[in-house]
Structure formats: structure tokens, C-alpha cells
């Protein structure tokens, strides 16, 4: 049985970072809203309580029965989770005189297992408005900082005998089921700082101590382990049924299709649609890769259909919805020619799952995304989502383990509407060809100069702006292209990539000299927020 750590989400901006840090230690974890019930199965090794934008003293602040959890597994409270733990057991938590945000130095009062091998005055990251002023009775102070009296603590355990047994209690402690009275409570810890963020220098070490030395995790959740478990699970889920899948050439759909193919072979049918707004030669290159992987994929050249449908449309949402609608129509029409299809494969990844069950519910839609979200309902198909427990970087690791070529595994994220939202204004075949050429020069240069792997996403944007230029003795009046490159972890926030000036100068020169119709190149130095990665 796979070992698991549960992370209860109280709405912190850092909750996903906790999960990523746990996964990096080769321990499987899941994020669930704090109010969702869960079972105490034998594989559950511990619980982490996340931070929160709320105050524990707010009237309707998030609450859980910490004692109920600590009676069953080790528990670690982080920031709000620590404050909730202190208040729950009778400690005093009050608003600070000033918001404590930023770096602090840890002063250890006791070399407990949680802080084992952590240096004196180790830098940690604070982000809180409340402070724990008094610990409850029976709790021990482990560390302070120069500005707060309680930076780390634990609940004393009289009997050190620890074991995990299966119970049927719900996660919020509303049932009466109990651990056998012969066992004492498990370790219960609290950290006022955030060990999961980059600025907590030894935060990963602290989390490792909790996961391995306190929870007893074996750290055996690896890409190879994931593949073998997932393939077996897919065989059981799918059986003899047939699966259809829309492929995009992206890493998520390619890895998902390869896993499903390993489980059911040619019972998986893939459809890859050329919507006319892919990158230069992408349709042919991706189909070649799929053939090498042994995938059963049909390529559909629908370029002209998309150009006709996009004619006259300038609004970004109108373009997105047109592409999404037409894609579904083509996909459904192709699916009719395949008999016995009962299931739909998708490359859903974990951030999508977390977003759909977040503490506050799904976020407001900033822009619609082109995907196959409407297909299961319209086609009455059961979903197959082998990647729904993985972050993007984990998908890439699994892809490498599967032997998928680097050009697919290391592909940057690419929007579903493709170049249609990188052509501002109306889309037509002429503009697509211009942008494809400029984009191709840019991406090839990034790879040649070993910069491609250093950025999260890069691409060229064709602006609806023409400007005067001079080439030789001739005056030109041609389009402007903006180059975009960002660094990011998950795309939720992003900074503009500080590419070398000489590199940008060379790319600009090559685009202007080789792409007739473009005479000006600019570089986008906006970060997200306030800007977005894509321009539309």
C-alpha cells in the first residue's frame, strides 16, 4: 500500500509548495480542503495543517479537531496550523503589534528530532499577523526568533510507543471511533514559520525530519514506482474497454497516452488535430514522435476549417471559444468512425484537481481554456486521468522514465488555442505563417544557446502594429513581433526571463532578415502578476 501524507488546506498561498516539498522527498501526499472528511487508512503516515489568510480569532475561522488527528497519526501545524493547534489546546494567540513578514533567524531551545541537524540561527520565512504568546500546558518550546516568543513547539508525549492502526473516523473528528487505549498520542508539532518556501534555508531538512524520522515514511514514491502502480490501476479501471484521447503534442497528453498505451495497447485510439495555429512543422513532427512511441494516433488536417471559422473574429474570448467548439465537433466526428469507445483519456494534472476542490471553491475564470472538458458529458464517456496526482515537473520525470524523447518531455507549456492568441486581432493564414517563422527562429535560438531549459515558457507574439523601417534603399511598412520568455515554477506567478542582450540582439536581427513582413522586434519585460504570461 502506498504511504501517504495528507495536507489540510486552510487557504494558504503556500499550500502547493508544501506538497511539492513532500513529493521532492519521494513521499506521496494529497491536498484536501480542511473541511473534507477522510479515512485513517493504514497507509496514512501523517497530517500537515497548512497556513491560512484567516486569523484563528476570527468568528468563522477554519477549524479542525487537532486532538482527534494527533490521537491517530503524527501532526505538523504550519503557521495558521500551529496557531490553531496552540489555541485548540488552551494556549494564547493574539494579533501582533505589526505584521511579521520576511526573513528571521531561528534560535533553538532544544535539539528535538524535528530540528535535528538544523543550524543555530538558521534563516526561516515568516508570514503572519497573529503570534503565539503562550503555549498550552503540556507543550514544549523548541525554538524562538529575535521577534517572536514561539517559533516551534511540540506536545509532550509521556509514552513514546507509537503505531498506526486502521480506524473508521472521519478527518474532522466528528465520529466516536478511537485508537486502542493501549497506545499513546502521536507526535504533535507546530511551526510559526513556513519551512516549505525557498527563503527558509533548512526548511526541506525540517520537513524531511518530520516525514522520515517522525512519520516513518520510506521515501519510495519514485517515477518508476508511480508508473508500475499506475499501469496496474489503469488495467483494472479500463479492462477490455476502448479509450479515445485527444492529443496535443504537449507533455501532459503525451505522457498520459503513453501510460494508457502501456496498460491497454491499441485499445487506445488517439486523435491529433491540426488546427492551423500550431508551431512550424509541429503537426508532422509530433505525429512522427507518436509513431516512434508506438501510439495509435490519427492526424487530422483541419487547418482551413479553423481559418474559415476564425475569419473576422478579433475578440480573444471569441477566438478561444471558436477553436474549442470546432475542435469538439471534429473530435466527435472522428470518434464516430471508431467502434466501441467507452472511455475518454485526459492529461489532467494535480494543480487542476486542487483548483476544483479548493477551500474557496473554483477561482473566478480569468479566461476560458481550450480543452476537452465538455466531451465526457456530450459523448457519455467515463474519464481516464492517469496524471491527476502529479505536478508538472513530476509529469516530466515520469516521461523521462517512460523513455519519451526529450523534445516532447521538455516542451514548454503551449496554449490550447495556440498561435491564435499570440496573433493579436484577426487570425488568417498569412499572419500564422509570419508568426510561425519568427517563433521558429526564436525557439531554435533558445535551444542552440542552451537557454530553452532555463525558462518556463517562451514564444513570439504578432502585434497588430505596423511601423516604418528601412531595408537597403527601400522603405518598409511591416509588422512588429514581441518576444516573451518567463521563469516560473507552476505558471501561477512568473517573472520575465533576463535573457542576455547579445542573444536578443541576434534573434532580432535574424527574424528581421529572414522573415519578410516583420521589420521590428521588441522584448516583453512584464511579470505575472500584474500581467499574464500570454497576451490574450
Amino acid at each position: 500500500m502506498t504511504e501517504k501524507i495528507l495536507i489540510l488546506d486552510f487557504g494558504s498561498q503556500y499550500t502547493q509548495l508544501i506538497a511539492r516539498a513532500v513529493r521532492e522527498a519521494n513521499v506521496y501526499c494529497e491536498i484536501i480542503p480542511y473541511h473534507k472528511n477522510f479515512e485513517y487508512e493504514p497507509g496514512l503516515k501523517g497530517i500537515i495543517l497548512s497556513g491560512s489568510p484567516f486569523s484563528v480569532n476570527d468568528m468563522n475561522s477554519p477549524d479542525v479537531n487537532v486532538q482527534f488527528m494527533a490521537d491517530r497519526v503524527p501532526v505538523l501545524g504550519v503557521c495558521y496550523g500551529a496557531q490553531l493547534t496552540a489555541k485548540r489546546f488552551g494556549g494564547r494567540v493574539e494579533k501582533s503589534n505589526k505584521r511579521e513578514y520576511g526573513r528571521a533567524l531561528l534560535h533553538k531551545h532544544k535539539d528535538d528530532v524535528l530540528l535535528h541537524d538544523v543550524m543555530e540561527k538558521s534563516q526561516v520565512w515568516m508570514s503572519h499577523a497573529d503570534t503565539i504568546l503562550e503555549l498550552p500546558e503540556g507543550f514544549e518550546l523548541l525554538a524562538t526568533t529575535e521577534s517572536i516568543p514561539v517559533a516551534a513547539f511540540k506536545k509532550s508525549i509521556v509514552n513514546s510507543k507509537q503505531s498506526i492502526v486502521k480506524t473508521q473516523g472521519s478527518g474532522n473528528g466528528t465520529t466516536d471511533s478511537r485508537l486502542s487505549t493501549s497506545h499513546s498520542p502521536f507526535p504533535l508539532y507546530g511551526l510559526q514559520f513556513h519551512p516549505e518556501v525557498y527563503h527558509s534555508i533548512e526548511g526541506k531538512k525540517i520537513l524531511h525530519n518530520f516525514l522520515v524520522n517522525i512519520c516513518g515514511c520510506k521515501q519510495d514514491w519514485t517515477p518508476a514506482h508511480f508508473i508500475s502502480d499506475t499501469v496496474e490501476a489503469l488495467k483494472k479501471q479500463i479492462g477490455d474497454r476502448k479509450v479515445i484521447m485527444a492529443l496535443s503534442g504537449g507533455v501532459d497528453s503525451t505522457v498520459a497516452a503513453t501510460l494508457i498505451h502501456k496498460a491497454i495497447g491499441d485499445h487506445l485510439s488517439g486523435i491529433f488535430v491540426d488546427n492551423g495555429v500550431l508551431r512550424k512543422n509541429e503537426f508532422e513532427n509530433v505525429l512522427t514522435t507518436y509513431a516512434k512511441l508506438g501510439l495509435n494516433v490519427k492526424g487530422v488536417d483541419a487547418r482551413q476549417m479553423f481559418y474559415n471559422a476564425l475569419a473576422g473574429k478579433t475578440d480573444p474570448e471569441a477566438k478561444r471559444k471558436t477553436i474549442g467548439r470546432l475542435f469538439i465537433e471534429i473530435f466527435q466526428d472522428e470518434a464516430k468512425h471508431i467502434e466501441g469507445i467507452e472511455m475518454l483519456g485526459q492529461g489532467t494534472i494535480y494543480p487542476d484537481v486542487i483548483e476544483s476542490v479548493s477551500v474557496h471553491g473554483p477561482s473566478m475564470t480569468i479566461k476560458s481554456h481550450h480543452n476537452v472538458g465538455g466531451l465526457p458529458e456530450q459523448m457519455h464517456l467515463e474519464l481516464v486521468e492517469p496524471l491527476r496526482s502529479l505536478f508538472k515537473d513530476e509529469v516530466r520525470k515520469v516521461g523521462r522514465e517512460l523513455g519519451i524523447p526529450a523534445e516532447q518531455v521538455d516542451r514548454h507549456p503551449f496554449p490550447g488555442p495556440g498561435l491564435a492568441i499570440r496573433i493579436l486581432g484577426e487570425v488568417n493564414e498569412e499572419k500564422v505563417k509570419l508568426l510561425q517563422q519568427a517563433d521558429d527562429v526564436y525557439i531554435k535560438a533558445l535551444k542552440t544557446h542552451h537557454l530553452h531549459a532555463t525558462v518556463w515558457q517562451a514564444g513570439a507574439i504578432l502585434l497588430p502594429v505596423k511601423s516604418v523601417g528601412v531595408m537597403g534603399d527601400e522603405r518598409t511598412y511591416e509588422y512588429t513581433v514581441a518576444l516573451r520568455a518567463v521563469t516560473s515554477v507552476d505558471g501561477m506567478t512568473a517573472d520575465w526571463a533576463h535573457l542576455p542582450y547579445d542573444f536578443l540582439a541576434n534573434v532580432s536581427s535574424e527574424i528581421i532578415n529572414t522573415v519578410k513582413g516583420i521589420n521590428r522586434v521588441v522584448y516583453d519585460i512584464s511579470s505575472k502578476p500584474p500581467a499574464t504570461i500570454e497576451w490574450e
Side-chain angles (χ1 to χ4, degrees):
M1 174 176 290
T2 300
E3 296 177 340
K4 178 168 67 177
I5 295 291
L6 275 184
I7 301 169
L8 301 197
D9 181 17
F10 293 103
S12 169
Q13 61 178 324
Y14 298 135
T15 302
Q16 284 198 36
L17 293 183
I18 300 176
R20 296 180 70 86
V22 173
R23 298 280 186 88
E24 286 173 11
N26 293 333
V27 175
Y28 179 67
C29 67
E30 292 178 5
I31 298 173
I32 64 170
Y34 72 91
H35 47 71
K36 181 179 178 181
N37 290 348
F38 57 88
E39 298 298 320
Y40 288 85
E41 300 169 333
L44 180 60
K45 304 293 285 184
I47 295 172
I48 298 176
L49 310 177
S50 84
S52 176
F54 296 97
S55 164
V56 293
N57 295 317
D58 290 344
M59 182 71 69
N60 297 313
S61 60
D63 192 17
V64 295
N65 190 337
V66 182
Q67 176 71 69
F68 184 84
M69 297 175 190
D71 282 347
R72 287 154 175 79
V73 293
V75 176
L76 173 65
V78 173
C79 197
Y80 180 90
Q83 295 168 359
L84 177 63
T85 298
K87 183 177 182 181
R88 264 275 186 172
F89 284 86
R92 185 157 66 96
V93 181
E94 294 184 3
K95 182 175 277 306
S96 304
N97 293 329
K98 63 177 182 178
R99 177 175 168 83
E100 292 165 326
Y101 183 86
R103 297 171 178 83
L105 301 179
L106 205 62
H107 173 58
K108 294 199 294 185
H109 283 240
K110 184 176 181 180
D111 192 19
D112 182 83
V113 62
L114 183 68
L115 302 179
H116 181 61
D117 277 346
V118 174
M119 297 184 301
E120 175 65 14
K121 294 187 177 180
S122 182
Q123 177 183 292
V124 296
W125 184 261
M126 297 287 181
S127 179
H128 59 97
D130 290 345
T131 294
I132 302 168
L133 295 180
E134 292 180 12
L135 285 173
E137 184 178 349
F139 281 66
E140 297 179 63
L141 179 67
L142 299 181
T144 61
T145 70
E146 64 273 17
S147 58
I148 62 171
V150 179
F153 64 83
K154 78 170 182 178
K155 187 176 188 294
S156 303
I157 299 176
V158 177
N159 185 340
S160 63
K161 184 179 180 181
Q162 300 172 15
S163 62
I164 297 177
V165 298
K166 187 173 183 178
T167 73
Q168 299 301 317
S170 62
N172 58 19
T174 56
T175 72
D176 292 326
S177 64
R178 297 292 173 185
L179 205 63
S180 169
T181 55
S182 63
H183 299 297
S184 63
F186 290 87
L188 172 58
Y189 287 91
L191 299 173
Q192 180 61 83
F193 56 91
H194 287 272
E196 69 276 16
V197 303
Y198 172 79
H199 298 295
S200 289
I201 302 300
E202 295 183 282
K204 299 283 179 70
K205 183 182 292 183
I206 295 171
L207 287 172
H208 177 275
N209 287 338
F210 177 71
L211 297 170
V212 178
N213 300 328
I214 295 170
C215 297
C217 296
K218 296 176 183 176
Q219 297 182 279
D220 59 358
W221 196 69
T222 63
H225 183 211
F226 172 82
I227 291 168
S228 59
D229 284 357
T230 300
V231 170
E232 287 305 309
L234 287 170
K235 288 178 179 177
K236 291 178 182 177
Q237 179 190 3
I238 300 170
D240 293 330
R241 293 182 289 178
K242 291 184 178 180
V243 180
I244 194 170
M245 189 168 182
L247 295 168
S248 66
V251 61
D252 297 338
S253 67
T254 300
V255 173
T258 305
L259 285 168
I260 296 172
H261 177 74
K262 282 181 72 72
I264 64 171
D266 282 347
H267 276 208
L268 169 67
S269 296
I271 295 174
F272 179 39
V273 177
D274 186 349
N275 56 15
V277 284
L278 301 175
R279 281 182 155 140
K280 184 178 179 181
N281 299 326
E282 185 171 14
F283 184 61
E284 297 79 11
N285 293 340
V286 168
L287 284 176
T288 299
T289 299
Y290 286 155
K292 289 179 181 178
L293 291 170
L295 300 179
N296 175 28
V297 180
K298 179 181 180 181
V300 180
D301 182 352
R303 288 175 293 180
Q304 206 55 53
M305 292 176 64
F306 280 91
Y307 293 147
N308 292 341
L310 288 167
K313 292 180 171 59
T314 58
D315 178 72
E317 277 297 286
K319 292 193 289 186
R320 287 176 181 272
K321 289 176 180 176
T322 297
I323 290 171
R325 173 187 55 77
L326 186 53
F327 171 83
I328 289 177
E329 290 176 6
I330 293 169
F331 185 86
Q332 286 181 308
D333 185 60
E334 292 294 330
K336 291 176 184 176
H337 304 301
I338 307 172
E339 294 183 359
I341 294 295
E342 298 181 51
M343 309 181 83
L344 176 71
Q346 287 195 162
T348 309
I349 62 174
Y350 199 40
D352 304 323
V353 177
I354 296 170
E355 177 68 19
S356 67
V357 293
S358 68
V359 171
H360 306 290
S363 298
M364 181 181 68
T365 300
I366 296 175
K367 58 188 177 185
S368 64
H369 290 267
H370 164 56
N371 53 37
V372 292
L375 287 172
E377 294 80 11
Q378 293 187 29
M379 300 177 69
H380 307 290
L381 299 175
E382 180 184 334
L383 278 178
V384 183
E385 300 172 303
L387 305 180
R388 61 182 287 113
S389 67
L390 299 186
F391 287 103
K392 189 77 166 188
D393 55 331
E394 294 170 332
V395 175
R396 296 191 198 279
K397 291 176 183 177
V398 169
R400 293 186 187 100
E401 186 74 23
L402 287 166
I404 296 173
E407 59 265 25
Q408 295 300 119
V409 173
D410 297 330
R411 271 177 49 121
H412 289 165
F414 189 66
L419 300 180
I421 58 167
R422 293 182 179 178
I423 296 172
L424 305 195
E426 185 178 6
V427 177
N428 59 43
E429 190 170 0
E430 178 192 359
K431 290 181 180 179
V432 170
K433 287 180 178 178
L434 273 181
L435 185 55
Q436 282 178 332
Q437 293 177 69
D439 178 81
D440 188 56
V441 169
Y442 182 33
I443 299 303
K444 282 181 176 176
L446 285 169
K447 292 178 178 177
T448 300
H449 290 81
H450 308 291
L451 293 168
H452 190 265
T454 69
V455 300
W456 163 265
Q457 189 171 352
I461 299 96
L462 186 67
L463 306 185
V465 174
K466 285 188 175 183
S467 64
V468 174
V470 177
M471 291 188 180
D473 295 327
E474 293 185 6
R475 176 186 176 95
T476 62
Y477 190 62
E478 297 176 340
Y479 283 104
T480 300
V481 159
L483 303 182
R484 180 77 157 139
V486 298
T487 57
S488 180
V489 173
D490 53 16
M492 300 301 290
T493 61
D495 192 16
W496 62 277
H498 295 235
L499 298 178
Y501 290 155
D502 57 348
F503 169 80
L504 291 172
N506 290 336
V507 170
S508 172
S509 177
E510 188 174 354
I511 289 174
I512 292 170
N513 288 334
T514 60
V515 184
K516 188 175 182 180
I518 295 173
N519 68 356
R520 195 174 296 268
V521 176
V522 298
Y523 187 58
D524 182 350
I525 59 170
S526 310
S527 295
K528 175 188 178 181
T532 55
I533 294 176
E534 299 294 343
W535 280 42
E536 287 192 343

